[in-house]
Amino acid sequence: MRFAKGFRGRYFTLAAIAATVSAVEIHAQNTQAIQLHKVVVSAANTEQDDEDVTEDITVITADEIQERGYRTLKDALASVPGISFTSNGGFGQPTSIYLRGLQSDHVLVLVDGIRANDVTGLNGAQFEHFRLDNVARIEVVKGPQSGIWGADASAGVINIVTRTPNAKSLSYRFQIGTYDSRSFDLSAAQRVGAFDASIALSSFRTEGFSAAEPSHGSALYGSRGDDLGYEKDPYSNKNFLLKIGYDLTRSDRMEASINAVDATVHYDSVDFATGRPVDAPDGPYTVNKIKERFYRAAYIRKTGAHSARLFYNVSTFNRTQYGGYSGHVKEVGAVERFDYAKRSFIQAGVGYQGFHQGLSAGANLNGSYADRYLFATNYNTFFEGGTIVTESVRYDNYTTFDNRLTYKAGISQKLVSGLRLLANYSTGYNVPTLYRLYDSWVGNAALKPEKSAGFDIGLKYRDFKLVYYSQKIENLIDFSYTTFRYYNVPGSSRFEGVEASYSGTLFDALSYDLGYTRLIKAKSALGADLARRASDRVSYSLTWFPTDKHTLNLNGYYVGKRYDDTAKTVQTGRYNVTNLSLRHNFSKGYTGEIEVRNLFDRFYQEVDGYGTAGRSLFVGISAKY
């Protein structure tokens, strides 16, 4: 078993290297008051105030992660308007994220600014292996972001920011729960003079449940694999995080970090005749061992109106599935910012990215390409912040593909007190992965990069936001079941929808967050509705602070109509999942936690024939010194 995570902190701040924003900070001082705090954030790779950002952005803080019992990246992203997801089973099973209807490989995922999209895979980042034990916040930037981040950001960017304690500390958490789940994490930090360091270790293990279960059309549909005696599919995940820093002067600093993820997942095989999973014993093709490493080194200088950053990032990916896959991404770059007027600045950067894949299904693929890029951002405020304008442009020079110029522009205009109009237009660029280009079985070396363009326009009134978006993609990359190779779908695929969010407080002891998404259109260039996208989605969270020692949270989501196939014959939507989390600070620095996932034991499948967890209980204790 496993506890709900963490405890509610006394405050939180947002400052990151990726584009981020947060509306408010909620701080429960006592039973009589919840204070709202303005926070400082970053946008376009540099710090800004939360009122100074035009993009549609959501930030999930460490406090929200802890209060709501989020355990995985998927858990947390379920609260974000515009995002839906599907998983091929339970713990550690392959997971797809759909941001504004676009699938995972159109979403650039960063870990502390380091690229986490698996260059050897099909699905972008491996979302299923990101646990939140050492995460400070998660930042979601929606809409094409290639004008800043380059390729693979045509749907948006998700940046996972890990914790960086700035003082001496020691903490641990132990959790047990349903499915014989066990987790433990330990973190420590120390500062000695100009040197600081932090280390975090975490481990999660579970016996899990069968990834496969009866699909639609089966007489046994509605029964879980455990009830039918199907073999369990265990999962384990270990994470090591080390950060070190040294202040050379009051203006100059050196930093370095390593983030290591080791995971092992057992899964079920697929009947290729039907496309449905089959309960299968462990074998060479039903166990996958994953090793991901994220390295970073940086030099940072801040002097008045000028700041600069030099960095070197490395991401490595290895998995044993089907004989083995391996690859890496290396990036070196420099970014400089100059403040040339009050609340106005210009920022520019240059860099090099190298992409390489070694193994592909055990064969030596040995493919590579590289990108040399430069970008610039200009930001201005006028009329004492009543009008905010931002522009970004980026040029990418690839060794394998045509060069590409992408851009974005946004405006935030005050209409009346508390009410602002937000509008953004941007372009995107997605290059084929090395696997899709050169794999001997399914690769197509003639693949062209995808090109996209989109806009969003919205109104923000205090803590309420309503946004309409529209985007098209040319040359969408898809898989042909006729040739069994990847190809570019000619023409434009289109995506369109509406998002709404609202947060606030009631009676000085309650806080709430509500989100709604209506996916109006997600069509391929051939006119077919794309599968596995929910037409409607609602998320909700209600947190009650009855005393200064207790926190109770109820959160969940409703998924509307969703089909597993383009022919719309298999319905996998129309269900609600509710979770409950309770915390008690029974002594200074010590917190007891109880979490109930899927409180009403709802049966549902996100992908036809793949199981999901029933009602699950997790309990535990955490301590901080």
Side-chain angles (χ1 to χ4, degrees), residues 408-593:
K408 59 182 288 189
I411 185 171
S412 173
Q413 177 63 52
K414 180 181 177 181
L415 301 178
V416 296
S417 179
L419 177 64
R420 301 191 74 94
L421 171 70
L422 309 175
N424 298 275
Y425 181 85
S426 52
T427 60
Y429 192 61
N430 252 51
V431 298
T433 63
L434 290 160
Y435 174 82
R436 288 174 169 172
L437 283 170
Y438 303 127
D439 182 77
S440 59
W441 292 95
V442 299
N444 178 1
L447 284 176
K448 300 177 181 179
E450 301 173 346
K451 300 177 182 179
S452 62
F455 72 90
D456 57 48
I457 184 168
L459 291 172
K460 182 179 179 182
Y461 181 72
R462 302 188 188 278
D463 298 321
F464 173 78
K465 183 164 61 174
L466 178 66
V467 177
Y468 167 82
Y469 65 86
S470 178
Q471 185 171 347
K472 67 176 182 179
I473 297 182
E474 297 179 3
N475 297 323
L476 184 72
I477 297 173
D478 202 354
F479 185 76
S480 170
Y481 287 93
T482 301
T483 64
F484 285 93
R485 291 191 178 275
Y486 286 94
Y487 75 108
N488 291 106
V489 180
S492 297
S493 302
R494 297 186 178 273
F495 303 84
E496 180 183 354
V498 176
E499 302 164 2
S501 61
Y502 182 53
S503 61
T505 60
L506 290 171
F507 312 120
D508 295 332
L510 294 170
S511 67
Y512 58 87
D513 288 277
L514 303 173
Y516 172 70
T517 304
R518 171 65 175 175
L519 185 60
I520 299 171
K521 182 184 295 183
K523 288 183 177 292
S524 74
L526 303 178
D529 289 324
L530 297 173
R532 298 181 180 175
R533 278 83 166 168
S535 60
D536 297 273
R537 200 170 186 283
V538 177
S539 61
Y540 53 90
S541 174
L542 177 66
T543 305
W544 178 35
F545 309 102
T547 74
D548 60 354
K549 294 182 178 295
H550 298 87
T551 303
L552 185 149
N553 174 266
L554 193 72
N555 71 81
Y557 55 89
Y558 168 78
V559 175
K561 182 172 58 178
R562 180 181 63 198
Y563 292 98
D564 199 61
D565 57 338
T566 57
K568 298 184 177 181
T569 61
V570 179
Q571 169 67 247
T572 59
R574 295 175 177 164
Y575 61 85
N576 175 76
V577 177
T578 301
N579 310 305
L580 178 67
S581 180
L582 304 96
R583 280 166 182 73
H584 171 55
N585 298 321
F586 56 86
S587 180
K588 183 179 180 180
Y590 291 88
T591 302
E593 303 155 342

Side-chain angles (χ1 to χ4, degrees), residues 62-214:
D63 293 300
E64 291 167 333
I65 290 171
Q66 294 165 350
E67 288 167 4
R68 302 174 188 182
Y70 296 153
R71 298 172 290 158
T72 66
L73 183 59
K74 175 183 172 182
D75 292 340
L77 294 179
S79 67
V80 178
I83 288 186
S84 61
F85 50 80
T86 58
S87 294
N88 292 12
F91 302 99
Q93 301 296 330
T95 296
S96 295
I97 298 294
Y98 301 96
L99 178 53
R100 290 185 168 178
L102 280 76
Q103 62 192 31
S104 301
D105 56 344
H106 296 83
V107 181
L108 177 61
V109 178
L110 307 169
V111 178
D112 292 327
I114 309 167
R115 292 179 65 99
N117 288 44
D118 187 350
V119 70
T120 73
L122 309 176
N123 212 28
Q126 298 189 57
F127 291 90
E128 60 271 19
H129 304 309
F130 290 113
R131 297 189 60 79
L132 305 183
D133 302 295
N134 301 311
V135 170
R137 61 192 170 274
I138 303 161
E139 303 152 352
V140 182
V141 191
K142 304 171 190 175
Q145 301 297 318
S146 295
I148 294 177
W149 298 105
D152 306 329
S154 53
V157 174
I158 298 174
N159 188 28
I160 303 167
V161 182
T162 60
R163 294 176 180 172
T164 305
N166 55 12
K168 181 178 180 179
S169 64
L170 175 66
S171 64
Y172 70 85
R173 182 172 64 234
F174 176 69
Q175 309 162 335
I176 57 174
T178 305
Y179 304 116
D180 195 19
S181 302
R182 307 169 299 282
S183 72
F184 177 79
D185 64 89
L186 173 70
S187 63
Q190 178 65 285
R191 183 175 184 92
V192 179
F195 177 80
D196 58 87
S198 64
I199 187 171
L201 305 168
S202 65
S203 174
F204 172 76
R205 298 180 61 86
T206 180
E207 290 301 308
F209 52 88
S210 174
E213 66 182 25

